[in-house]
Amino acid sequence: MGNATQAPETPQNTTTRPRIAFIGCGYLGATYAICFAELGYEVVGYDINTAKIDAFSSGTLPFHEAGLPELLKKNLESGRLRFTTDVQAVADFADVHFICVDTPQRKGEPGADLSYIEAAVTELSRHLTRKCLIVGKSTVPVGTASWVQELVDRHAPADLGVEVGWSPEFLQESNAMHDVLRPSRIVYAAQSEWASKLLKDVHRGILELAAVEDREVPVVETDLATAELVKVAANAFLSTKISFINAMADLCEVTGGDVTDLARAIGHDQRIGNKFLRAGIGFGGGCLPKDLRALTARAGDLGVGESFRFLGEIDQLNTRRRSHTVRAVAELVGRPPGPAGPDLSGVRVAYLGATFKPDTDDIRDSPALAIAQGLRRARADVVVYDPEGLDNAQTAAPELSYVKTLVEAVADADVVCAMVPWEEFRTLDPEALGRQVAERRILDGMNAFDADQWTAHGWTYRGIGR
Ligand code: UDX
């Protein structure tokens, strides 16, 4: 199987290839547009943001995703891929329109904000001149597809018979290309035979690539409500797994256990599985936290809130990791928190990692960045280094100090906090690092180091739950 940074050979089979538009060119829409052009489809990416469209059109990716810039350039050159802000051109072009706009958390409320979907669907519908299929891909509360069909019926010319379908995505940032070209499964819902056939044709390229590579991709065709629910169900389940292992980490800390051994031991049971059992500073990013809250809110609206009360606890457990970690740093430097919280004035913290996970520049809901801010509120002198996330972090948290190299970050530090498992941090050498810091103290928020090895080099080591 190829990896995420490796462009696949485009399958030679030239069966029916519907023309596809991706409406909204954020992480999701842009990655899909590029990858579907790579699969041999004629694709247009549409966004209202001119700067973004100009960037894509000139071959520049406005976010960090390894391998994707090369694929963008290759497919622009092939002529199969283009980007535009011209909604009429998009409406005239595509057989299938995938809606990929953001559905962020509403300000001050747990539910999802659907205003971008409303705007995108309304605008597109008004310009449609031919029968086509509009397929939701954005993560939404269950019931949204019917509302989108109502919007289409209200704004598109009635005689066109435009239909709405749904097909959730499961792409992980830093593995996005792989997840689109070689997905773990394809899920979609259609309301007619015509739409079902079109969705089969849309996904044929993925199945052909799988056949060439001797893999199988399961296809689940289902109803609209289920297709909408699949995505939030998957993300709520993954969040639950992480919060569960973090709860076990708390128990390990008070009993002298080691949560990394515990996770390995239970993960060997195939019913449990070993993925998403890394205990640490908690989950973040643009999806897991918001999807958890949106699902809880929607279940409440639909009268089954009680069954989802536990997800509120999963969320809180996750948020508590942040104050827990600040406290762990305070204890590590011999300043256990008093009634007014920790006082870390005069403590120089080398802070490694700002993004919500490695191999991305995304800092949305980043636990690492929130903990850095918590340490700053405790008056520590926090110097942050991150391989890709510095610009975004600096905009979001200007009160912290930022440096462009690891060497600058660790110089004369009283404590090193290694928070995001970037390769550059996981491979740190305890002896070499020890010569650069003022005090050999390390908080391993990644749970990636061998504690004995660091202790042998004179470090006071603290992991999470070990
Ligand atoms: C997630 C889903 O995985 C993906 O399927 C969906 O389409 C979008 O949301 P993403 O947000 O890119 O993808 O991040 P993911 O890799 O799932 O990680 C989420 C968070 O969980 C990160 O903060 C990560 O550090 C944390 N995490 C992950 C853990 O704390 N422990 C783990 O074992 C795994």
Side-chain angles (χ1 to χ4, degrees):
M1 196 172 81
N3 62 37
T5 54
Q6 201 175 22
E9 287 303 309
T10 305
Q12 293 307 303
N13 192 347
T14 48
T15 44
T16 333
R17 291 269 195 273
R19 300 205 290 188
I20 311 177
F22 291 93
I23 310 293
C25 286
Y27 220 112
L28 171 64
T31 307
Y32 262 87
I34 296 165
C35 290
F36 268 75
E38 177 67 12
L39 288 167
Y41 294 86
E42 269 189 76
V43 172
V44 64
Y46 167 79
D47 204 289
I48 53 172
N49 183 328
T50 312
K52 219 187 249 183
I53 290 301
D54 288 348
F56 287 124
S57 301
S58 65
T60 309
L61 201 68
F63 53 83
H64 176 80
E65 183 70 36
L68 205 52
E70 293 79 1
L71 219 58
L72 167 64
K73 286 195 193 84
K74 178 182 164 199
N75 284 287
L76 286 171
E77 281 162 19
S78 78
R80 283 194 301 272
L81 176 66
R82 66 197 165 89
F83 292 90
T84 183
T85 54
D86 180 352
V87 68
Q88 189 61 60
V90 173
D92 293 341
F93 167 82
D95 303 305
V96 180
H97 298 266
F98 281 104
I99 305 296
C100 300
V101 297
D102 268 357
T103 48
Q105 188 176 333
R106 261 186 255 145
K107 289 219 161 44
E109 285 177 58
D113 175 356
L114 300 180
S115 56
Y116 298 121
I117 293 210
E118 183 168 11
V121 171
T122 304
E123 186 66 1
L124 174 66
S125 299
R126 286 190 179 136
H127 288 85
L128 288 173
T129 50
R130 52 191 289 234
K131 183 172 172 73
C132 61
L133 184 63
I134 297 183
V135 184
K137 209 165 246 318
S138 308
T139 306
V140 294
V142 58
T144 302
S146 315
W147 168 74
V148 170
Q149 182 72 63
E150 280 166 30
L151 281 178
V152 172
D153 292 346
R154 200 173 324 139
H155 298 291
D159 57 327
L160 298 182
V162 177
E163 288 186 31
V164 171
W166 216 265
S167 179
E169 54 75 32
F170 309 101
L171 72 83
Q172 277 177 276
E173 294 185 18
S174 79
N175 204 43
M177 238 167 81
H178 177 271
D179 290 342
V180 176
L181 294 169
R182 301 176 173 86
S184 52
R185 72 284 205 195
I186 292 168
V187 181
Y188 57 76
Q191 301 188 80
S192 70
E193 284 295 317
W194 168 80
S196 172
K197 155 112 186 24
L198 203 46
L199 280 168
K200 259 190 207 88
D201 289 342
V202 162
H203 292 101
R204 182 162 291 135
I206 291 175
L207 299 177
E208 284 171 0
L209 176 64
V212 168
E213 295 176 348
D214 202 18
R215 286 179 296 110
E216 293 223 352
V217 181
V219 177
V220 181
E221 182 163 7
T222 183
D223 55 89
L224 287 175
T226 308
E228 292 169 303
L229 281 170
V230 168
K231 173 64 186 285
V232 281
N235 276 356
F237 192 84
L238 293 172
S239 310
T240 304
K241 246 185 136 175
I242 300 171
S243 275
F244 173 80
I245 203 66
N246 282 329
M248 294 310 297
D250 287 344
L251 201 50
C252 284
E253 281 189 4
V254 294
T255 55
D258 184 330
V259 76
T260 54
D261 287 347
L262 177 84
R264 245 199 348 265
I266 63 172
H268 284 305
D269 184 332
Q270 286 188 3
R271 293 170 303 174
I272 295 173
N274 57 13
K275 304 255 169 65
F276 275 69
L277 282 183
R278 183 173 47 77
I281 60 177
F283 58 80
C287 292
L288 259 49
K290 96 171 160 61
D291 291 354
L292 197 64
R293 292 168 200 150
L295 174 57
T296 311
R298 186 67 181 141
D301 292 345
L302 295 168
V304 289
E306 206 167 318
S307 303
F308 286 86
R309 219 183 291 150
F310 77 99
L311 284 185
E313 190 48 46
I314 296 297
D315 191 16
Q316 282 174 32
L317 209 153
N318 187 55
T319 308
R320 282 200 298 272
R321 305 309 294 161
R322 301 173 180 192
S323 48
H324 177 88
T325 310
V326 171
R327 204 161 49 243
V329 177
E331 285 166 5
L332 185 59
V333 298
R335 305 262 189 101
D343 179 2
L344 298 177
S345 35
V347 175
R348 162 86 162 75
V349 180
Y351 203 86
L352 308 184
T355 50
F356 84 97
K357 67 173 189 181
D359 305 315
T360 174
D361 59 359
D362 195 343
I363 50 94
R364 283 178 295 169
D365 216 331
S366 161
L369 197 59
I371 293 163
Q373 291 177 294
L375 291 169
R376 180 71 205 119
R377 278 195 298 278
R379 292 179 286 283
D381 173 15
V382 186
V383 182
V384 181
Y385 165 68
D386 186 281
E388 293 289 343
L390 286 178
D391 290 346
N392 287 339
Q394 194 146 25
T395 308
E399 72 275 26
L400 303 172
S401 308
Y402 295 91
V403 288
K404 289 202 161 61
T405 62
L406 193 144
V407 171
E408 291 168 87
V410 299
D412 298 323
D414 296 309
V415 59
V416 176
C417 293
M419 307 306 269
V420 184
W422 287 92
E423 171 85 11
E424 188 179 0
F425 305 155
R426 280 189 283 116
T427 51
L428 278 171
D429 172 47
E431 190 46 47
L433 187 68
R435 286 195 288 271
Q436 300 169 64
V437 296
E439 298 285 343
R440 295 192 177 202
R441 299 186 188 115
I442 185 139
L443 189 286
D444 176 10
M446 329 179 287
N447 272 352
F449 294 136
D450 176 345
D452 292 340
Q453 192 198 1
W454 285 72
T455 312
H457 285 277
W459 286 81
T460 306
Y461 172 92
R462 175 148 183 182
I464 309 266
R466 47 198 314 218

